Every structure is written in C-alpha cells, then in structure tokens.
Amino acid sequence: MTDHAVRGPRLPRLAELKFLAVGACTGTAAWFLLTGLMLSVAPIVTLPLLPRTALAARGLAAYERRRTGRYLGTAVPAPPPPEGDDIGAVLTSPGTRRDVGWLALHATLGLLTGVLAVASPAGVVQNVLTAALWPVLPSATTTLDQPVRSWGDAGLALATAAGYGLAGAFLVPPMARWYARLSAARLAPRRATLVERLAEVTATRAAALEAHGTELRRIERSLHDGTQNRIVAVVMHLGMVERALLRDPQSALPMIRTAQDAAGDALSELREVVRQIYPPVLTDRGLRGAVAALAAHCAIPCALEAAEELPRAPAAVEAAAYFVVAEALTNAVKHSGARQITVSLRTEGDRLTVEVTDDGHGGADGTSGSGVVGIQRRVAAFDGTTRLHSPPGGPTVLRADIPLGV
C-alpha cells in the first residue's frame, strides 16, 4: 500500500482531531481487552473468558478498519476470516493473531496520540477560562501550574492558550495521518511473499482449469444426452412425414404435429442448457432478484437476507454466486432433512459473501460429494474461499467469499 493510496483526500483539522479523539476511546477499550487477554491465559478461573475476549478484540479491530478507511479515503482490507465458526478456529486464525498485535499498538500509541490531540483544545479552553475568571477564582492556575492573580498573569494564560492552539493546528494533522497509516498497515493482512503468492496463483489456475473442464463436460453431456436426442427425434419424425406424404398425405398431419412438438422440446432443452451457462434472470433482475427466485422455488422454506439495493458485481461473479446458491439449495433439499434455510448475500470490502444456512442434521463432508466439491472449485477459480461448517446435529453453514475485482 503506497503512501499516496493511503493518504486519500486532504481532510479538515476538525476531522483529524475527531479521528484521534475517537482513537483515544477505542485505545482505552483496546487497553482493557489486552489486559483481559493477558489475564485470561494465566489462571484457570478466567480461561473461559478468553474466547469472548478474543471475539471482542476482533470486533474492535473490524470497527477500526472501517473508521480508519473512512479517514484515509481508502478501504483497509480485512484478513481472511477463520476457517470455522468454532472458538478453536478463531483463536488459531492468523487474523486473530494480527488483530491482537494491533491491539497492543492501539492500547499504547493509539491512546497516547488521542490524549495528545485532545489536550490541545482542552488546554485552550482551560487557559481561556482561567484568564477570564481569575477575579472570582483566586486560586486558579494555568495548565502549566502558574497561578493567575493579575491581568498580567491573565495575559500569560491567554498566550499559553494560543500556544496550545498553534501546537494543535500544526501537530494534530501530521500526527493523525502518521498514526492512521501505521494503524492501517497493522490492521491489513500480511502481504504474501512471492513464493506464497505464486503457489496461490498456481492452485487457483489449476482450480479454474478444472472448473472450466467440468463445466465443458457438463454442457457436452447435456447436449449429447438431451438436446441431441431430441433433434434426432425431430429428424426421424420428418423422415416419417416425408414417407407418409408420398404414400398417404392425409396421415401425415398427425406426424407433422408430433415433429413440431419434438422440435419444441428440443428448443426448450437447448434453452435450458444456455440458461445453465449464464442464467438470463441475472441480467433481468440482478443477483438479489435471481436468488430470490431460487428461494421462492425451493422445496424447503427459504428466507433471503440481502440489502434491497445490493451493488451489482461483475457478471462472472454474479453467475458464480448464483450457482453456489443453487447447488447449496439442491444439496440441502436432497440430504439435510432441514425445515428452514436462510440465504445471505452481502458485500464485505472487496468481496461478495454468500452464506447458506440450514437447520438440518448436519454432518456434511466437504471432501466428498460432487455438490460441495463443485462449489469449492467454482469459487476457487475466482481466487475465492469456501468454508463448510456442519457439525453432527447441525446447523450446516456454507460460506463462499468471492473477490469482486475479477
């Protein structure tokens, strides 16, 4: 992340003061959370508090990412979420470790810079009030602990107030930008090394090729087993019509109608194959409307959680998300024994998140079963991630995170 990208547009000093002042509050919260984490791992009595404290730390870090991103004028990316919803996955996640490291930074530097920023306007107010009210407050002193007993002393108090104001005007903006850049760098996930990234790209390319090959085989199978057979039937019926016209023209009419019906079936079959490549409903109604149609036709009661104005994503991403939901609903209907399904669509930073939850008996295995494996390959082709959490007894949660910048 370059300095130019991080700085963003120049903001007024009041916004910079507000940024550091709120940072003082969140820095105080970070100090308490850091203390709680250190105490939680020591005695056995407080060990049960560790999961809640860790989750609270991640929540505070997520809030600071949004706040720092708004101040800098650029989004601060979040580290990858834990590989599961259980607390063990949360505690061992690299993102949690990075958030705890930021917690130590914010509990010290964040709190210190916030206090220094607030001290400037507070010093101005205190010294001005001291200079104005010294006749009725004979024991009043300036922030430098200088007593004010005359108008001359009041003038010195006003000069001190001016010094606080100048210090705030010239020191708060650069201090705010410096700490915002430092905090954003610590909150963002660690940049992968070239070797790690090359391995990721290689794996993604293999997944993309596998997904592409699977899709081609599926289309070929659909055309061969369905559409081709129906077209052959049309040709056969037309041959029968030709022979009937030569032998008995009156008997050809029913055969013509049969051939016409067969041609209509072949056309419907071909349209279905095309619809599986890219559903037209995505173009007409967008991803939210398309998924709402899937939910409405699901054999199990299905609720959709998505913003009314869900931002449009690239066509390839919307198609991938649509098929993830379609496959997940099909799997749930066939295997879960669920009574209720919930589909959630939301954008988180630069990713589209699709989450399908059912209250079935659980026990789904992501390593077997073409449905889940197909979803994983389709999402991996976009450099996305898929997580399946399905303990025995349920619920089953399938989550796919697909980057929007394809």
Side-chain angles (χ1 to χ4, degrees):
M1 186 180 295
T2 63
D3 178 75
H4 174 74
V6 171
R7 176 175 295 182
R10 182 75 168 84
L11 294 178
R13 287 183 173 85
L14 184 60
E16 291 154 342
L17 177 62
K18 177 184 176 182
F19 174 76
L20 291 179
V22 175
C25 299
T26 56
T28 303
W31 187 88
F32 280 109
L33 286 174
L34 188 64
T35 303
L37 284 174
M38 290 187 294
L39 292 177
S40 296
V41 297
I44 301 299
V45 178
T46 56
L47 191 59
L49 296 177
L50 181 60
R52 294 183 180 179
T53 310
L55 289 173
R58 295 214 67 170
L60 181 63
Y63 169 75
E64 279 296 303
R65 282 189 191 91
R66 295 191 297 270
R67 194 175 71 89
T68 304
R70 286 195 299 268
Y71 171 76
L72 294 173
T74 184
V76 179
E83 292 297 327
D85 296 332
D86 57 288
I87 194 59
V90 173
L91 292 177
T92 57
S93 167
T96 299
R97 293 196 297 270
R98 194 158 186 83
D99 287 349
V100 171
W102 167 83
L103 208 64
L105 171 74
H106 198 57
T108 52
L109 279 180
L111 182 57
L112 178 62
T113 54
V115 169
L116 290 177
V118 173
S120 170
V124 171
V125 172
Q126 180 181 344
N127 285 290
V128 169
L129 290 178
T130 300
L133 301 176
W134 74 267
V136 295
L137 297 173
S139 60
T141 60
T142 66
T143 53
L144 301 179
D145 203 25
Q146 296 294 323
V148 179
R149 299 192 180 95
S150 65
W151 288 112
D153 294 338
L156 292 176
L158 291 176
T160 303
Y164 272 97
L166 290 173
F170 287 100
L171 294 180
V172 168
M175 185 167 61
R177 292 193 295 271
W178 168 77
Y179 183 72
R181 289 194 294 268
L182 179 64
S183 182
R186 190 61 196 173
L187 285 166
R190 180 182 66 87
R191 290 183 179 180
T193 65
L194 183 59
V195 175
E196 292 173 338
R197 187 55 188 155
L198 181 59
E200 291 177 3
V201 171
T202 302
T204 300
R205 178 177 178 274
L209 291 174
E210 180 65 26
H212 180 66
T214 301
E215 193 69 10
L216 286 178
R217 288 191 295 271
R218 182 189 62 78
I219 295 172
E220 190 276 336
R221 188 166 56 251
S222 297
L223 291 174
H224 182 274
D225 298 342
T227 308
Q228 179 177 276
N229 291 340
R230 295 187 184 279
I231 293 177
V232 169
V234 173
V235 174
M236 292 177 59
H237 282 98
L238 289 176
M240 296 169 63
V241 169
E242 181 183 12
R243 290 191 295 271
L245 286 173
L246 296 175
R247 185 177 61 253
D248 182 9
Q250 295 296 328
S251 64
L253 182 59
M255 296 181 183
I256 293 175
R257 290 172 178 169
T258 302
Q260 186 179 21
D261 293 340
D265 292 340
L267 182 60
S268 299
E269 186 82 22
L270 185 59
R271 285 174 176 168
E272 183 63 27
V273 173
V274 172
R275 190 175 294 112
Q276 291 173 4
I277 298 173
Y278 185 82
V281 68
L282 285 173
T283 303
D284 299 336
R285 301 173 58 183
L287 180 59
R288 189 187 189 283
V291 173
L294 286 176
H297 290 88
C298 184
I300 299 174
C302 183
L304 173 62
E305 296 179 353
E308 288 293 336
E309 298 297 330
L310 188 69
R312 292 304 300 261
V317 173
E318 289 191 343
Y322 176 86
F323 285 118
V324 166
V325 175
E327 189 64 43
L329 292 181
T330 300
N331 288 346
V333 171
K334 287 183 178 179
H335 308 297
S336 71
R339 291 175 295 180
Q340 178 69 39
I341 303 175
T342 302
V343 178
S344 172
L345 298 174
R346 59 186 181 275
T347 54
E348 297 180 348
D350 61 346
R351 287 176 173 257
L352 172 65
T353 297
V354 180
E355 197 169 87
V356 181
T357 305
D358 69 67
D359 60 358
H361 50 66
D365 186 1
T367 61
S368 63
S370 59
V372 176
V373 173
I375 290 174
Q376 292 171 337
R377 288 174 178 169
R378 187 183 290 273
V379 173
F382 294 87
D383 204 12
T385 57
T386 305
R387 288 181 303 283
L388 177 66
H389 181 64
S390 183
T396 295
V397 181
L398 176 72
R399 171 170 170 160
D401 293 290
I402 310 174
L404 293 172
V406 297

